[in-house]
Amino acid sequence: TPNGPRQRTLLSLGQLSLPRQQWKALANRIEEIIRGQLRFGEPVSEEVERLAQHYAQLLIAKRLHPEDEPSPPPPQFESVDVDSLQSRECRSIGAEWVALSMLQRLGFGEYLSRLGFSPTEVQIAQLLIVGRMVAPGSEWSCWQWACHRSAIGELLGLRLSERSHNWLYRVGDRLYQHKREIEAYLTRQEQALFPIASHIILYDLTNSYFEGEIGRSQLKRYGRCKQKRHDAPLVTVGLVLNSYGFPLYSGVFEGNISEQQTLEEVLGVLSEEVSIGPQKPLVVLDAGVATESNLKRMVELGYDYVVVSRCKGPEELPASLGPLEVVRTGQEHRVEARLYRDGKESWLFCQSLRRAQKEASMRTLLQQRFEEALQSLAAGLHRKGTTKRYQKVVERIGRLREKHRRVSHYYEIELQEHNGVAVELRWWLREPKAMDDRFSGRYLLRSSRTDLTAQQIWHLYVMLTDVEDSFRSLKGELGLRPNYHQKDDRIRAHIFITVLAHHVVQCIQWYLHQKDCYLRWSSIRQALGTQQRLMSSFTTEAGKRIHIRHTSEPEAFHRFVADALGITPKPLARKKTIL
């Protein structure tokens, strides 16, 4: 200085593991980085370079100050070397900003504070949910994303370098401990934000597979996997939605649980804790849950239902019901139905041209595969080196029946033997009419409501596609699987975080639907991901180095989404420092 050397602390480096003789090289390299100077002479060691890059960014971040004046600042002109311009620390911010804004609109952080979460725990909880929406995966991968690829830390005001990834596990556990209160709160908030009061709820189940072994888990079990991952243990996830697709309740059950066993718990929770209004809703169920005992229990609790029948076939309806009526128009999507009431229930026989075509194609493929397997087994009886022992061949037939169980029970199979050796295998279709009915595109609906028209019953039933769409979103877009956790509580917490992310996605899509935008969340997320937060640095004519942390300009889709949600399209103010 003009008055001689003076000292002031720019940044505390903590305890250095670097040998003291290299401290001067470290200080010189830090100065080179923050001033944008090229290095001449011998390169520094790898350890010095790593530390210098780390501390230089900390120093720049410490000196940054926001340019957030209420009115536009006056123009600031500098003569700069355009070749000195550098951009680094690029982090995605577009999708994160939209997701976090919706979480804040739901008052999620404030509610967690009322539940006793600390400010840091509230920030981590929001990071978990936004991470599941933007970069779905495990908690560890979420932490890596937050630290190295996303500006979520800046949006939350969270210094990630001062935290450990273990915070994510601890906060996930705490979220699950308050699962029912949080789900009830979100339901109330969504009813306040959107006109979604509904007297209809939808319930269905799916399974999710795990990597690794069962271990000590009481949830993970081997069972029938819809994704054909028979080598992986499963858990079962149940989801209750209202007719607008917003979750009301989620449950996690053992992987091999029977579907009908889950309904009693769900109805109990809905009756006691979930805010669905004074009137008991009508429940729409798939055939797997709609056992006679479950339907009887629902009536006892005051619930009406619309279900796919599993106790009657279309041919058992009275023959003199009159002509079919159209419940859905369209050349390919046409659906016709016939309604019958027996005094206690309504029965709706439906037939769909498109479904009939799909099932006919499916039947042909299933039959072809089963008969080809039988043909191969039969040919082996006359080929050298293949199994011919009668009992062994019977076992192989049994395995084929199990593998092709959707069509095998319609076949009669005859195996002839001589002195314990199988000599001939024959088969034929035993119940062609039963198979025709099974793959005819026909199905039967039943309802405890006798005041509904045929079209109303059918439209209620097709609402189940909302549940299927939610499951597709949970699994594909929001990282429900694969799940690597071994402890049951962590498994439940991982699934619950995914359900919370689904709440936020549904809210965002509601606003976009009002603007006639019906994109899936994966497409929205990808389009928003082009907006970045980055550091730009350049050297002035006076030899100073200017560092500006700023957000890239929003593109047309960013502005469209921001307008639909009523938020600013360009998050976070610009920050500048001169060194």
Side-chain angles (χ1 to χ4, degrees):
T1 70
N3 298 322
R6 294 292 184 271
Q7 296 182 3
R8 61 188 175 93
T9 300
L10 299 180
L11 186 72
S12 175
L13 305 188
Q15 184 175 358
L16 282 176
S17 60
L18 199 67
R20 190 178 185 90
Q21 58 268 27
Q22 297 187 43
W23 287 9
K24 179 61 176 173
L26 174 62
N28 291 340
R29 183 60 186 137
I30 291 174
E31 186 170 7
E32 289 172 355
I33 293 171
I34 63 175
R35 294 188 179 279
Q37 298 173 351
L38 296 177
R39 179 167 184 80
F40 296 97
E42 292 294 325
V44 296
S45 67
E46 184 177 332
E47 178 66 9
V48 169
E49 180 67 23
R50 183 185 67 81
L51 290 173
Q53 291 288 347
H54 173 69
Y55 289 126
Q57 304 315 316
L58 288 181
L59 181 58
I60 292 171
K62 183 178 180 181
R63 293 287 300 275
L64 288 174
H65 57 86
E67 295 184 346
D68 53 358
E69 294 86 349
S71 58
Q76 299 181 28
F77 298 102
E78 293 277 0
S79 296
V80 300
D81 177 8
V82 294
D83 291 332
S84 70
L85 175 64
Q86 294 177 336
S87 294
R88 61 182 182 278
E89 293 183 65
C90 297
R91 303 289 187 267
S92 64
I93 197 171
E96 291 91 331
W97 169 240
V98 169
L100 185 60
S101 298
M102 185 53 62
L103 259 182
Q104 293 170 347
R105 184 168 300 179
L106 288 168
F108 187 75
E110 292 84 347
Y111 183 69
L112 292 186
S113 297
R114 295 202 297 271
L115 289 176
F117 284 65
S118 70
T120 299
E121 288 175 330
V122 171
Q123 292 173 320
I124 295 293
Q126 293 174 322
L127 186 153
L128 275 168
I129 296 170
V130 173
R132 194 61 54 87
M133 295 172 63
V134 179
S138 67
E139 283 73 9
W140 170 250
S141 68
C142 176
W143 183 255
Q144 295 297 309
W145 161 81
C147 291
H148 304 296
R149 304 196 305 277
S150 172
I152 185 64
E154 290 184 72
L155 286 171
L156 290 169
L158 180 64
R159 293 183 178 274
L160 296 170
S161 60
E162 300 175 1
R163 304 288 178 229
S164 161
H165 72 278
N166 290 322
W167 275 86
L168 274 66
Y169 298 107
R170 292 196 293 267
V171 173
D173 293 343
R174 288 209 64 193
L175 285 172
Y176 185 76
Q177 290 169 7
H178 296 278
K179 172 181 176 295
R180 291 187 176 179
E181 302 100 294
I182 293 173
E183 285 185 328
Y185 170 78
L186 288 175
T187 297
R188 293 192 300 269
Q189 288 296 99
E190 289 158 357
Q191 290 174 346
L193 283 174
F194 313 113
I196 58 173
S198 175
H199 300 301
I200 302 166
I201 62 174
L202 318 168
Y203 177 61
D204 203 357
L205 299 105
T206 189
N207 53 37
S208 180
Y209 61 82
F210 285 77
E211 302 297 341
E213 301 297 327
I214 290 178
R216 297 181 180 180
S217 172
Q218 299 300 311
L219 284 176
K220 293 193 287 186
R221 293 288 181 268
Y222 289 103
R224 182 183 176 189
C225 179
K226 296 177 181 178
Q227 293 77 40
K228 309 302 181 185
R229 284 296 305 271
H230 303 300
D231 61 317
L234 312 171
V235 296
T236 299
V237 181
L239 195 61
V240 179
L241 307 177
N242 64 22
S243 56
Y244 294 89
F246 287 86
L248 296 174
Y249 169 79
S250 61
V252 182
F253 309 96
E254 294 87 351
N256 59 355
I257 195 171
S258 175
E259 291 185 357
Q260 57 264 29
Q261 294 177 255
T262 65
L263 186 62
E264 181 75 24
E265 175 183 330
V266 171
L267 292 175
V269 172
L270 289 175
S271 299
E272 296 172 9
E273 302 186 29
V274 178
S275 175
I276 52 178
Q279 180 181 344
K280 289 289 182 71
L282 183 148
V283 183
V284 184
L285 301 171
D286 201 5
V289 191
T291 62
E292 289 296 327
S293 59
N294 276 342
L295 298 183
K296 182 180 178 181
R297 181 58 178 158
M298 289 173 63
V299 173
E300 291 173 354
L301 293 173
Y303 292 94
D304 286 306
Y305 56 80
V306 170
V307 301
V308 181
S309 174
R310 53 189 285 166
C311 63
K312 281 190 177 183
E315 71 282 352
E316 297 181 40
L317 288 175
S320 58
L321 288 180
L324 296 168
E325 62 174 293
V326 178
V327 294
R328 180 173 182 176
T329 58
Q331 187 66 27
E332 294 185 1
H333 302 278
R334 182 183 180 90
V335 178
E336 297 177 321
R338 181 185 292 122
L339 182 62
Y340 166 69
R341 308 185 200 276
D342 62 7
K344 295 182 179 180
E345 290 181 299
S346 299
W347 301 84
L348 188 68
F349 164 64
C350 305
Q351 64 179 29
S352 164
L353 174 61
R354 186 176 185 182
R355 183 166 175 165
Q357 293 171 341
K358 179 181 177 181
E359 291 185 353
S361 175
M362 186 189 306
R363 169 187 172 171
T364 301
L365 180 61
L366 293 173
Q367 279 190 271
Q368 178 182 345
R369 289 176 176 174
F370 182 54
E371 293 185 7
E372 284 178 353
L374 290 175
Q375 183 62 47
S376 176
L377 184 59
L381 300 180
H382 307 286
R383 195 166 53 240
K384 185 177 180 180
T386 57
T387 300
K388 300 179 180 62
R389 287 176 53 196
Y390 180 77
Q391 288 301 327
K392 287 292 185 181
V393 176
V394 169
E395 290 176 10
R396 291 188 63 184
I397 293 172
R399 287 196 292 269
L400 286 177
R401 279 192 178 276
E402 174 61 23
K403 183 178 179 180
H404 303 274
R405 55 184 172 274
R406 299 182 66 179
V407 294
S408 61
H409 59 282
Y410 296 111
Y411 281 81
E412 187 74 36
I413 300 176
E414 182 183 276
L415 180 64
Q416 296 180 2
E417 60 98 14
H418 180 71
N419 294 331
V421 176
V423 294
E424 186 176 0
L425 177 65
R426 298 191 304 118
W427 62 90
W428 61 92
L429 198 58
R430 180 183 58 194
E431 302 179 41
K433 186 178 183 306
M435 180 175 272
D436 290 342
D437 290 338
R438 166 62 182 84
F439 295 95
S440 64
R442 303 171 187 167
Y443 51 96
L444 188 66
L445 308 179
R446 62 188 292 192
S447 174
S448 59
R449 292 274 297 272
T450 57
D451 60 331
L452 299 175
T453 65
Q455 195 166 44
Q456 287 173 330
I457 293 174
W458 185 81
H459 278 291
L460 287 169
Y461 161 68
V462 297
M463 283 182 179
L464 278 178
T465 58
D466 291 338
V467 187
E468 296 170 359
D469 189 61
S470 294
F471 282 138
R472 281 193 292 270
S473 177
L474 289 170
K475 293 176 178 179
E477 297 178 318
L478 298 176
L480 182 68
R481 67 177 186 223
N483 193 322
Y484 299 92
H485 292 297
Q486 302 300 316
K487 298 178 180 179
D488 286 347
D489 287 345
R490 290 281 163 84
I491 292 170
R492 293 187 176 97
H494 178 92
I495 293 172
F496 182 52
I497 292 166
T498 306
V499 173
L500 293 177
H502 185 60
H503 273 276
V504 184
V505 167
Q506 284 297 113
C507 293
I508 293 170
Q509 290 185 320
W510 173 275
Y511 283 106
L512 294 180
H513 290 173
Q514 310 314 304
K515 298 289 186 178
D516 295 324
C517 175
Y518 294 91
L519 294 174
R520 296 192 65 84
W521 170 245
S522 55
S523 300
I524 298 169
R525 177 176 64 202
Q526 183 177 11
L528 292 173
T530 57
Q531 192 172 31
Q532 301 282 306
R533 183 81 170 164
L534 65 156
M535 180 78 75
S536 295
S537 305
F538 45 85
T539 304
T540 68
E541 187 177 21
K544 295 182 179 180
R545 190 70 173 169
I546 299 178
H547 304 275
I548 300 177
R549 185 71 172 163
H550 62 106
T551 303
S552 65
E553 291 300 312
E555 300 173 8
F557 186 74
H558 303 141
R559 295 186 181 278
F560 170 78
V561 174
D563 178 65
L565 271 62
I567 60 176
T568 178
K570 190 175 180 180
L572 295 182
R574 179 183 298 153
K575 298 180 180 181
K576 181 180 73 173
T577 186
I578 302 177
L579 294 171

